[in-house]
C-alpha cells in the first residue's frame, strides 16, 4: 500500500511519494495524506524549504491511480470530482505556501504529476526522467491543473502536443521547454536538490516568501496590477530589519545576522 513519507533535514522538509510497486501513482488516500504533509511543512516554523520527490529511481509519479479512476468513471462518479479537487487543493497548497518548493523529478512524471512539478518553485530532473500527459489517449482529460497550471509554465504548443499526440518528452526537451532547470544523474539528484535547499535557507525567510508571492501572484494579474502588487510587497518587506541588516553586513564585509521567523510574516 502506498503512502507519503515526510522527514526533516536541517531546515528542509522532504516529502516522498512512496508507491513504488505502482510506479508511485497517487491514490485518493495518498493524496489526502500528501495535502496533510504539505500543510504540516507550510506551518512548521522550523522548515524553510520543501523538496518533493518519488521513491526509488523509476518514477517521480505516474500520476493518478488508474484502477481507482476506472471505478470512479464507471460507478462512483462523485469521486471523479472529489479526487480532482483534492489534487487542485494540493497544487494550491504548494503554490500559495510562503515557503519555496523544489521538485526532484526522478524517472517517469506523467499526468497529474506535471501539475505538482510545475506548482513547485524550482524543478530539477534526472537524466532518465520522462514527462507526458497521456490521459487524453485514454479518453479523459487530466486534472489537478494540468490544462491550466502546466500550460502557464510550459506554453500552449508543448502542452497541446503532449495532450493531443500523447508525446513524451525526455529530460533535455523538458529543460528546453522550462519544465526543469537542471539535469543530473539519478544517483546525484537528491544530493543536488538538498544543495539547492541549503542555499535557499541561508537567505531571510521574509525576502524568500515575498519574492515567491510576487512572482506567483503576478501571474494572475495584468502588468500594471502586478507592478502595484510588487510595490506594496516591496515596501512591506524592504522596511523590515532584515533588508537593512543585509545591506549593512555587505558593506561591512561580515556575515548578516538575519531574523529567521516565519511566524513574523
Amino acid at each position: 500500500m502506498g503512502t507519503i513519507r515526510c522527514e526533516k533535514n536541517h531546515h528542509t522538509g522532504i516529502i516522498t511519494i512512496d508507491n513504488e510497486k505502482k510506479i508511485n501513482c497517487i491514490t485518493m488516500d495518498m493524496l489526502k495524506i500528501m495535502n496533510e504533509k504539505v500543510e504540516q511543512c507550510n506551518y512548521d516554523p522550523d522548515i524553510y524549504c520543501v523538496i518533493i520527490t518519488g521513491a526509488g529511481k523509476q518514477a517521480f509519479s505516474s500520476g493518478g491511480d488508474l484502477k481507482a479512476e476506472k471505478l470512479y468513471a464507471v460507478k462512483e462518479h462523485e469521486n471523479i470530482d472529489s479526487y480532482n479537487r483534492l489534487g487542485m487543493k494540493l497544487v494550491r497548497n504548494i503554490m500559495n505556501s510562503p515557503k519555496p518548493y523544489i521538485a526532484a523529478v526522478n524517472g517517469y512524471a506523467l499526468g497529474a504529476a506535471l501539475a505538482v512539478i510545475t506548482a513547485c518553485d524550482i524543478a530539477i530532473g534526472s537524466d532518465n526522467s520522462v514527462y507526458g500527459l497521456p490521459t487524453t489517449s485514454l479518453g479523459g482529460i487530466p486534472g489537478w491543473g494540468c490544462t491550466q497550471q502546466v500550460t502557464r509554465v510550459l506554453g500552449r504548443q508543448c502542452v497541446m502536443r503532449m495532450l493531443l499526440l500523447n508525446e513524451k518528452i525526455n529530460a533535455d526537451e523538458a529543460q528546453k521547454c522550462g519544465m526543469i532547470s537542471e539535469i543530473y544523474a539519478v544517483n546525484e539528484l537528491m544530493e543536488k536538490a538538498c544543495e539547492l535547499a541549503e542555499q535557499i535557507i541561508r537567505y531571510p525567510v521574509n525576502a524568500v516568501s515575498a519574492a515567491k508571492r510576487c512572482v506567483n501572484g503576478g501571474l494572475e494579474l495584468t502588468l500594471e496590477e502586478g507592478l502595484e502588487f510588487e510595490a506594496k510587497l516591496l515596501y512591506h518587506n524592504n522596511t523590515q530589519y532584515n533588508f537593512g541588516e543585509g545591506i549593512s553586513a555587505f558593506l561591512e564585509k561580515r556575515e548578516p545576522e538575519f531574523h529567521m521567523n516565519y511566524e513574523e510574516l
Side-chain angles (χ1 to χ4, degrees):
M1 182 177 178
T3 190
I4 303 295
R5 293 187 281 109
C6 185
E7 57 188 300
K8 187 189 298 186
N9 179 19
H10 193 205
H11 291 293
T12 300
I14 301 174
I15 295 174
T16 304
I17 303 164
D18 191 351
N19 196 5
E20 278 195 78
K21 291 183 179 179
K22 295 185 177 180
I23 324 176
N24 288 335
C25 74
I26 304 174
T27 66
M28 179 89 82
D29 287 341
M30 289 174 66
L31 188 49
K32 291 176 182 176
I33 296 170
M34 193 165 179
N35 268 300
E36 291 172 1
K37 298 300 185 185
V38 165
E39 288 174 358
Q40 286 174 15
C41 289
N42 288 350
Y43 287 104
D44 186 338
D46 197 45
I47 289 178
Y48 302 162
C49 183
V50 184
I51 298 170
I52 299 179
T53 193
K57 300 177 182 178
Q58 183 183 9
F60 175 82
S61 172
S62 57
D65 178 4
L66 287 181
K67 287 187 177 180
E69 289 188 273
K70 176 187 174 182
L71 179 63
Y72 302 158
V74 175
K75 292 183 179 180
E76 301 174 4
H77 293 170
E78 68 280 0
N79 279 332
I80 284 282
D81 188 57
S82 299
Y83 190 39
N84 181 49
R85 289 188 182 280
L86 276 171
M88 290 165 56
K89 179 182 178 182
L90 176 65
V91 168
R92 289 193 189 102
N93 278 339
I94 293 169
M95 291 193 68
N96 294 335
S97 171
K99 302 172 184 184
Y101 275 71
I102 298 170
V105 186
N106 48 322
Y108 283 96
L110 304 175
L114 269 61
V116 176
I117 294 166
T118 54
C120 292
D121 305 293
I122 296 174
I124 60 175
S126 61
D127 51 10
N128 69 330
S129 57
V130 177
Y131 307 79
L133 292 168
T135 317
T136 312
S137 70
L138 303 176
I141 64 170
W144 302 22
C146 281
T147 66
Q148 304 302 309
Q149 167 62 15
V150 179
T151 304
R152 283 167 167 78
V153 174
L154 304 189
R156 184 172 178 270
Q157 284 297 311
C158 180
V159 172
M160 283 299 192
R161 292 189 70 90
M162 286 194 283
L163 283 171
L164 304 183
L165 302 174
N166 194 21
E167 284 188 353
K168 309 293 188 299
I169 60 175
N170 61 25
D172 288 330
E173 293 167 315
Q175 186 180 35
K176 288 175 183 177
C177 71
M179 176 81 73
I180 55 176
S181 58
E182 298 291 342
I183 302 169
Y184 299 102
V186 67
N187 291 331
E188 299 176 353
L189 186 68
M190 277 306 294
E191 178 184 349
K192 296 299 183 181
C194 289
E195 286 177 4
L196 289 173
E198 283 296 318
Q199 182 172 350
I200 290 170
I201 66 177
R202 297 205 318 261
Y203 303 137
V205 295
N206 64 295
V208 170
S209 178
K212 175 173 176 172
R213 269 190 77 192
C214 273
V215 172
N216 286 351
L219 291 174
E220 308 302 321
L221 304 173
T222 66
L223 178 58
E224 286 301 317
E225 291 169 339
L227 289 170
E228 186 60 31
F229 181 58
E230 178 189 76
K232 289 178 180 178
L233 285 178
L234 182 147
Y235 180 80
H236 174 73
N237 183 83
N238 291 11
T239 55
Q240 294 184 36
Y241 162 84
N242 278 339
F243 191 46
E245 167 62 12
I247 292 174
S248 295
F250 177 79
L251 295 175
E252 296 165 12
K253 295 182 173 56
R254 60 173 173 82
E255 289 296 315
E257 296 180 6
F258 292 128
H259 290 171
M260 305 292 274
N261 189 355
Y262 270 105
E263 295 175 345
E264 294 180 355
L265 297 181

